[in-house]
Amino acid sequence: MNILLIVIAVIAIVLLFTGGFVSSLNFLLWVGVILLVLAVIVFLVRMLTGNRRV
């Protein structure tokens, strides 16, 4: 019975941390998508205007 309680406690702790990580990863995912869109826009503007300088 003690092993069952330990397993349930470990699963509860893992799920608790996973819930926090998922919410922070969701935020970072949206930040990454926004930065990717900005990079594509800047790349397209540079290609269309012919500006090749860094």
Side-chain angles (χ1 to χ4, degrees), residues 21-31:
F21 291 148
V22 167
S23 63
S24 65
L25 287 177
N26 191 13
F27 170 74
L28 290 177
L29 177 68
W30 281 110
V31 170

Side-chain angles (χ1 to χ4, degrees), residues 12-39:
I13 291 171
V14 167
L15 289 176
L16 178 68
F17 283 124
T18 303
F21 291 148
V22 167
S23 63
S24 65
L25 287 177
N26 191 13
F27 170 74
L28 290 177
L29 177 68
W30 281 110
V31 170
V33 167
I34 291 170
L35 289 176
L36 180 65
V37 168
L38 287 174

Side-chain angles (χ1 to χ4, degrees), residues 39-54:
V40 168
I41 290 171
V42 169
F43 175 75
L44 289 175
V45 168
R46 287 182 63 195
M47 290 299 289
L48 291 175
T49 60
N51 188 4
R52 302 276 187 234
R53 292 186 308 155
V54 174

